[in-house]
């Protein structure tokens, strides 16, 4: 019998996951509280930008393997893929996960498998189980004693890279943590239906921590590169040249500096570890501060260049949090461009080929969205904030004679 799968949250993770599972032969219902998103998907279209996702979603919707709705329906498998933001004090906010949990509770049946994919602080899968147990006293849930449960509950973090999501959903290994060994085994069997990478069973708590550790590892390593970039500025050295040379050592592999770290993952998840043990997560916290500080530093350097070139219009190249995507969440490029727009108003042109209009943050500043060609023609100052392909290929003649601050090192030499 065709397996039915209900995925709650149709964002950057939920929608591609829904499409890939539909392609594996399951009958998939995607759930989102935003009616416009549901309508878009049911029409065979998508509301986010991700390589090759549009054609896969269209194909799956047309084949009847994928449909969307605003509420869950009884299913064999439920996947929660909703956001976990943090509060002002950097404390994790799992409200959306718990709301999504409550929304699936009435649709659970004996034999259902519930999987949390959202990035979560350690202990969240147990909290999800507790919410389900309260809502469904007619069903038995795993209690940690190895009891015979009616419903399996597991945690399996996504680890896909935006821009390569469809490939990595299939090829990456997965850490799959159950609230019992039986839950883990059941979830492993489910993921093996569409994952070519290895599916490794563990506990829910270890899988929750594993996800946070992966992104913290990257954040710490990017912080090292960003700290080096500031030190190299002090010493009047080209940091990209220094890193290129150091990386010739067989055991050195330094990442690339930039204007800071963005996105809803690496700029957020390390705080979940810090919050769980502030006294000991010192390096992780410092890395966050170094990366956030790099955005302030980049703004200050751009502002100094703007002040030294008072007649130049200023082109901010890129708003996205990284190259060749449309995602502006936690983007240092957006933060820097907005600050420049607030300070220099109509001198500022913003070039972001992946958005159709300037975000609201620019309202009232006087800054304008421009094409790359317009900005190159009009602006005497260029600030590279994102290494989009379009920017990398700007010829040297088009940049000649302009004041340039290149936070990504794309125009070296
Ligand atoms: N960045 C640098 N220098 C680098 C690499 C990245 O400044 O050398 C910056 C980017 O410009 C961006 C930020 O870091 O602002 C994050 O970009 P990213 O490409 O490192 O990662 P994300 O946020 O797109 O995806 C990460 C991935 N995690 C890891 O590589 C450990 C991905 O596998 C996760 O699935 C994703 O977070 C997630 O959803 O958690």
């Amino acid at each position: 019998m065709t397996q039915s799968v209900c995925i709650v949250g149709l964002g950057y993770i939920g929608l591609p996951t829904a499409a890939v599972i539909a392609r594996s032969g399951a009958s998939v219902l995607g759930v989102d509280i935003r009616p416009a998103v549901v309508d878009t998907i049911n029409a065979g279209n998508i509301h986010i930008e991700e390589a090759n996702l549009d054609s896969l979603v269209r194909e799956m919707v047309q084949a009847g393997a994928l449909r969307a709705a605003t509420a869950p329906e009884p299913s064999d498998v439920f996947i929660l893929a909703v956001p976990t933001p943090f509060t002002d004090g950097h404390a994790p906010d799992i409200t959306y996960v718990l709301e999504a949990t409550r929304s699936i509770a009435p649709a659970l049946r004996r034999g259902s498998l519930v999987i949390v994919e959202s990035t979560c602080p350690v202990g969240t899968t147990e909290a999800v189980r507790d919410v389900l147990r309260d809502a469904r006293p007619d069903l038995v849930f795993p209690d940690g004693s190895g009891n015979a449960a009616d419903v399996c509950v597991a945690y399996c973090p996504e680890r896909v890279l935006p821009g390569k999501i469809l490939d990595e959903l299939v090829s990456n290994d997965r850490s799959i943590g159950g609230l019992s060994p039986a839950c883990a085994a059941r979830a492993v069997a489910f993921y093996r239906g569409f994952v070519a990478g290895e599916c490794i069973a563990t506990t829910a708590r270890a899988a929750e921590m594993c996800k946070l550790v992966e992104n913290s590892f990257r954040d710490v390593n990017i912080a090292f590169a960003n700290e080096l970039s500031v030190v190299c500025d002090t010493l009047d050295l080209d940091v990209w040249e220094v890193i290129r040379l150091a990386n010739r050592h067989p055991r050195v592999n330094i990442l690339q500096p930039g204007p800071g770290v963005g996105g809803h993952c690496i700029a957020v998840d390390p705080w979940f570890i810090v919050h769980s043990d502030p006294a000991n997560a010192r390096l992780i916290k410092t890395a966050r501060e170094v990366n956030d500080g790099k955005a302030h530093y980049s703004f200050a350097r751009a502002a100094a260049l703007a002040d030294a070139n008072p007649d130049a219009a200023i082109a901010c190249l890129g708003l996205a949090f990284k190259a060749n995507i449309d995602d502006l969440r936690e983007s240092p490029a957006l933060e820097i461009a907005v600050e420049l727009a607030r300070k220099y108003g109509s001198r500022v042109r913003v070039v972001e080929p992946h958005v159709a209009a300037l975000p609201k943050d620019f309202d009232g500043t006087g800054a304008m969205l421009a094409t790359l060609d317009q900005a190159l023609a009009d602006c005497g100052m260029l600030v590279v904030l994102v290494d989009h392909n379009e920017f990398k290929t700007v010829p040297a003649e088009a940049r000649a004679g302009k004041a340039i601050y290149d936070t990504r090192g794309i125009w070296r030499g």
Side-chain angles (χ1 to χ4, degrees):
M1 211 182 80
T2 306
Q3 181 163 235
S4 56
V5 180
C6 173
I7 301 186
V8 184
L10 293 174
Y12 284 92
I13 301 302
L15 181 58
T17 303
V20 166
I21 295 175
R23 187 175 57 190
S24 76
S27 168
V28 179
L29 174 71
V31 174
D32 204 290
I33 52 173
R34 296 166 292 179
V37 169
V38 167
D39 291 345
T40 301
I41 292 164
N42 282 333
N45 299 316
I46 61 175
H47 60 293
I48 54 176
E49 197 176 293
E50 176 59 36
N52 305 319
L53 183 62
D54 50 354
S55 54
L56 181 61
V57 167
R58 189 170 314 115
E59 197 186 323
M60 291 303 115
V61 170
Q62 282 171 357
L66 171 64
R67 66 200 167 85
T70 51
E73 293 174 9
S75 304
D76 301 320
V77 181
F78 295 86
I79 297 178
L80 307 185
V82 293
T84 38
F86 55 38
T87 61
D88 286 347
H90 295 130
D93 175 3
I94 60 167
T95 312
Y96 295 129
V97 175
L98 298 182
E99 274 171 13
T101 304
R102 280 187 274 276
S103 80
I104 63 167
L108 287 185
R109 55 194 179 201
R110 200 159 276 117
S112 288
L113 166 66
V114 176
I115 301 165
V116 182
E117 283 212 6
S118 308
T119 302
C120 291
V122 173
T124 302
T125 310
E126 289 152 322
V128 164
R129 184 265 325 270
D130 293 348
V131 167
L132 294 175
R133 194 168 49 190
D134 288 350
R136 294 297 300 270
D138 55 316
L139 294 170
V140 178
F141 291 87
D143 63 7
S145 70
N147 61 328
D150 293 327
V151 173
C152 280
V153 184
Y155 181 75
C156 178
E158 60 78 19
R159 39 164 66 141
V160 289
L161 198 69
K164 292 186 181 174
I165 292 181
L166 290 182
D167 293 337
E168 291 206 355
L169 265 175
V170 174
S171 62
N172 286 355
D173 294 345
R174 304 292 293 249
S175 306
I176 302 173
L179 284 185
S180 68
C183 294
R186 172 89 195 282
V188 164
F190 169 69
Y191 279 96
R192 284 202 178 125
F194 63 95
V195 170
E198 215 176 311
C199 295
I200 303 158
T202 183
T203 64
R205 290 174 73 88
E208 288 163 344
M209 186 61 171
C210 171
K211 169 68 190 184
L212 303 179
V213 164
E214 290 165 9
N215 281 348
S216 299
F217 173 86
R218 195 153 168 86
D219 197 44
V220 168
N221 281 279
I222 298 169
F224 182 74
N226 277 333
E227 185 164 293
L228 279 185
S229 71
V230 177
V231 173
C232 283
D233 282 350
T234 307
L235 300 177
D236 198 21
L237 281 164
D238 177 345
V239 68
W240 288 279
E241 176 70 355
V242 172
I243 290 174
R244 189 176 69 84
L245 294 170
N247 282 349
R248 300 302 288 261
H249 184 290
R251 283 172 296 285
V252 173
N253 188 7
I254 303 170
L255 294 179
Q256 297 301 304
V261 165
H264 192 65
C265 308
I266 297 188
V268 175
D269 302 354
W271 287 117
F272 292 11
I273 297 184
V274 174
H275 185 258
S276 61
D277 190 359
N280 294 306
R282 291 180 299 158
L283 180 62
I284 297 170
K285 179 168 188 258
T286 301
R288 275 287 67 245
E289 289 166 351
V290 167
N291 285 332
D292 283 350
K294 187 66 197 292
H296 303 303
Y297 173 86
S298 302
F299 164 71
R301 284 211 48 190
L305 194 63
D307 292 340
N309 294 274
D311 299 329
I314 306 160
C316 292
L317 303 188
L319 294 178
F321 85 82
K322 68 176 192 175
N324 307 320
I325 62 170
D326 68 341
D327 192 343
L328 308 187
R329 289 178 299 173
E330 314 292 334
S331 173
L334 175 64
E335 182 186 333
I336 294 163
V338 168
E339 286 306 313
L340 288 171
R342 286 191 183 135
K343 184 153 192 209
Y344 299 104
S346 58
R347 272 178 75 189
V348 173
R349 316 274 188 282
V350 178
V351 182
E352 179 44 86
H354 298 269
V355 304
L358 277 186
K360 292 211 172 324
D361 315 62
F362 289 95
D363 285 0
T365 63
M368 286 177 302
L369 190 64
T371 65
L372 180 58
D373 286 344
Q374 284 164 348
L376 289 171
D378 295 352
C379 298
M381 175 173 155
L382 309 177
V383 184
V384 179
L385 297 171
V386 185
D387 43 346
H388 287 318
N389 287 344
E390 297 89 334
F391 304 155
K392 285 187 185 166
T393 51
V394 171
E397 313 82 74
R399 303 179 246 132
K402 297 187 191 295
I404 292 176
Y405 177 42
D406 177 2
T407 69
R408 298 276 183 178
I410 61 172
W411 291 340
R412 295 179 52 247

